[in-house]
Amino acid sequence: MMARQVQEPGRYSYGTSHLSSHDRGQSPGYYSGLSLNPRTLPPREPLDEATFFWLTNLKRLWARWKRSDAVNQMIHEYFASVLNPHEATLNIMIHCDDFHQGKSNSLSHTVIEEFERWRVGKESFLLSQLTPEVQLKAFNTIIRQRNPNLVKVVFNTYEMLRVKESFLPAIRDLIRQQNVQGGEILNCLGACQSATLLKLEEYFSTEDFLVPLIFQDKLLVAEEFLQTSPRLQHEVVAFLDHLLGRRHGVREEIDRIISRLQIPEVKRDKLYSKPLSKLVARLVKTYKLPPETCPNLNYRRSVDSWREMAREAVGNDPRLHRELVDKVINQGAFKEAKYWVDEFGIPRSDWPGSLVAVINNEPELSASNSMDQSGEEEWEYSWDKDPQLEYHIFPLEHDCITLVDTPAVFRDFLEAIKVSADNLLRSSGTSSTTPVYLAKYRYLPHVSSPSLYPSCPSVPDPCISSMNVKLVGIDCEWKPFFGSKKNDLALIQVALKHHVFILDAMTMGQGCPDLWREFGRVFWDNEGIVKLGFNLLNDLLMMKTSLPELESCKGNLGFLDLHLLWRKITKDFHFKFPFEGKDAGFSESLARLVELCLGTSNQQDGPVL
């Protein structure tokens, strides 16, 4: 029988016993706040003798049965026997051997989840025991955990949101702490996560932890914090856009910010103009900010779009190259002219005299052929060559990717889709109005037609004949911005399990209306084909806007938005993913979803394969 030190009948006491901390495997000393080294666990209070033996038995039971009714019952009986269950739960959690992992299948996670269940119906009775000291202890105990789900459970169980302002000093202490061994990343993560869960956005500025997290490439946590604060959304975008507007590049300005804020472990390869431009553009789109929020991004994108059009217009004709340079010089844009002579490889002996004169008087123009001196070429190299980037790669050969850019290939693509869908309906014995999930376990015959793809030799007949068109991923791409105005739809990606079709909407958008109407009938409005996507609404609206032939399509047959499904299963069914991911972030992106399901993320948000 477990030995007890009884203070009241049926209750454990929480003093130290005659057992030494060494005998009980404890770190001596009581918990007194955050530890100096953020990579170590906080100090643990010594357990009394009865609790020590009880926890030993619990660990043995857990090692044998893991999460089970016997384990749950033993934990519930313990909660009913202690003086302060809130404080006792923290002590038990931190003494679990797997507390530093914080995984959903760990004993420490099970303890807090069972406490959350046990306290249901006892909240009013337990409220008097939930003192500010206990809440602060819970905050300090859990704040360095990398598992956001465990942090959320503790914050909810200890009702921290009810007294959220009382945690402001603790969060600011996290921000102030500096550690050259990497502690600042954990400090900023913990501070940002806490402020997000406690809805304290109004009390912080962009420099408190948002700028450090962005510079450390910890965007998931930062973006989650920004979701509920329009003020900070504007301020962060304005800050990043200001970096893009630096005349002599962003490197010197970034170095000054790093020095002033003392930010360690900066990911410099993500702080050049190109990745910063992509980040600003994504934030503007995500938070639906007005174009005037990012004037420098609009300028850069206007220049990028102009250069793309100019490059397409002159092609490989040397005469047009020189004419373009002359016209740019006539507008007084000597820096842009320098860009084009370098781009086209025009010998200096063939440069216009006015450009040579300006270069001689302004040597800095000769040192760069880009819009600024931000080190774009160095960034491009480091981005492509970074050996630490690990992504999930879909095993698809090049000959299984078809560019649909002619009416003939478009017709073949539609025929393959139509034949497969018709076979699906026949084999399942369903009508065209039968929901697809009723027939999802039926056999789908292979498509077999030797006449398919006569104009596409890169796709062999065996590949096409093995297509099972019942589940596809869909995604859209757009041309670069002209300032803040988006261009029309560029590509529609339709990904089957063993084949990907890329529909060139710019080439065929206006030239084959009948085929687009057929596309709407056999694909869009066909509930026999499940169309998977992520944040599908924008893609569907863009397709209808750019392709008038699709306006009559219903848009609600056989579409499955994985983003909405993700939210549904985690919120209503408490679904646990097989992987936890490397970043303890809350951002709901396709890359994050792939990481949770497969262990590594996809390189960028794209079609769902």
Side-chain angles (χ1 to χ4, degrees), residues 392 579 589-602:
H392 174 74
F579 298 93
S589 65
L590 178 57
R592 177 64 175 166
L593 180 59
V594 172
E595 185 179 16
L596 292 173
C597 295
L598 302 175
T600 53
S601 68
N602 58 331

Side-chain angles (χ1 to χ4, degrees), residues 250-446:
V250 301
R251 183 175 299 176
E252 296 83 359
E253 178 70 8
I254 286 175
D255 286 340
R256 284 193 290 269
I257 295 172
I258 293 172
S259 176
R260 178 167 56 84
L261 299 181
Q262 298 182 350
I263 306 174
E265 300 191 18
V266 174
K267 304 297 184 183
R268 293 182 178 272
D269 60 333
K270 302 299 178 66
L271 297 178
Y272 293 111
S273 296
K274 285 187 178 180
L276 283 177
S277 297
K278 292 181 180 180
L279 175 59
V280 173
R282 180 158 58 83
L283 294 178
V284 168
K285 178 181 178 181
T286 300
Y287 303 125
K288 298 179 175 60
L289 301 179
E292 55 269 21
T293 309
C294 51
N296 294 311
L297 174 67
N298 293 336
Y299 168 74
R300 290 184 61 87
R301 290 204 151 180
S302 297
V303 172
D304 291 342
S305 298
W306 136 254
R307 287 177 174 176
E308 182 179 346
M309 289 190 305
R311 191 176 291 107
E312 291 178 356
V314 301
N316 297 321
D317 191 332
R319 294 174 301 174
L320 295 179
H321 294 173
R322 288 177 172 80
E323 183 175 350
L324 174 61
V325 172
D326 290 337
K327 290 185 178 298
V328 171
I329 290 176
N330 290 339
Q331 298 297 319
F334 291 97
K335 189 172 184 178
E336 186 68 11
K338 176 61 169 59
Y339 169 85
W340 286 112
V341 296
D342 289 341
E343 176 75 9
F344 297 142
I346 300 176
R348 188 181 181 94
S349 58
D350 293 339
W351 291 5
S354 57
L355 177 60
V356 175
V358 170
I359 293 294
N360 291 336
N361 293 329
E362 300 181 33
E364 65 274 9
L365 285 180
S366 185
S368 174
N369 67 343
S370 60
M371 291 176 59
D372 54 44
Q373 300 176 31
S374 59
E376 296 293 337
E377 293 181 0
E378 178 182 347
W379 171 82
E380 289 177 352
Y381 177 83
S382 63
W383 180 268
D384 294 333
K385 302 297 184 180
D386 190 345
Q388 298 179 349
L389 297 180
E390 296 180 357
Y391 301 110
H392 174 74
I393 300 176
F394 192 76
L396 202 63
E397 300 296 333
H398 288 289
D399 58 359
C400 291
I401 302 175
T402 299
L403 177 62
V404 182
D405 59 350
T406 67
V409 179
F410 199 176
R411 279 191 291 269
D412 291 337
F413 161 71
L414 293 175
E415 186 64 24
I417 295 292
K418 182 169 60 176
V419 170
S420 296
D422 290 345
N423 286 338
L424 171 64
L425 293 175
R426 285 197 298 270
S427 65
S428 63
T430 60
S431 66
S432 60
T433 59
T434 302
V436 70
Y437 57 78
L438 295 180
K440 64 181 180 179
Y441 296 112
R442 305 296 183 90
Y443 172 69
L444 177 64
H446 288 174

Side-chain angles (χ1 to χ4, degrees), residues 13-30:
S13 65
Y14 264 75
T16 56
S17 72
H18 64 278
L19 289 177
S20 68
S21 59
H22 178 270
D23 293 334
R24 295 187 299 274
Q26 316 301 329
S27 299
Y30 285 84

Side-chain angles (χ1 to χ4, degrees), residues 193-214:
Q193 290 174 357
S194 302
T196 302
L197 292 172
L198 297 175
K199 301 179 181 180
L200 294 171
E201 296 87 349
E202 64 206 75
Y203 293 95
F204 296 97
S205 68
T206 57
E207 292 189 351
D208 284 329
F209 42 70
L210 290 174
V211 171
L213 287 175
I214 291 173

Side-chain angles (χ1 to χ4, degrees), residues 89 92 119 227 272 327 398 430 448 604 609:
T89 299
I92 293 301
R119 66 190 292 270
Q227 285 184 0
Y272 293 111
K327 290 185 178 298
H398 288 289
T430 60
S448 180
Q604 58 184 357
L609 300 180

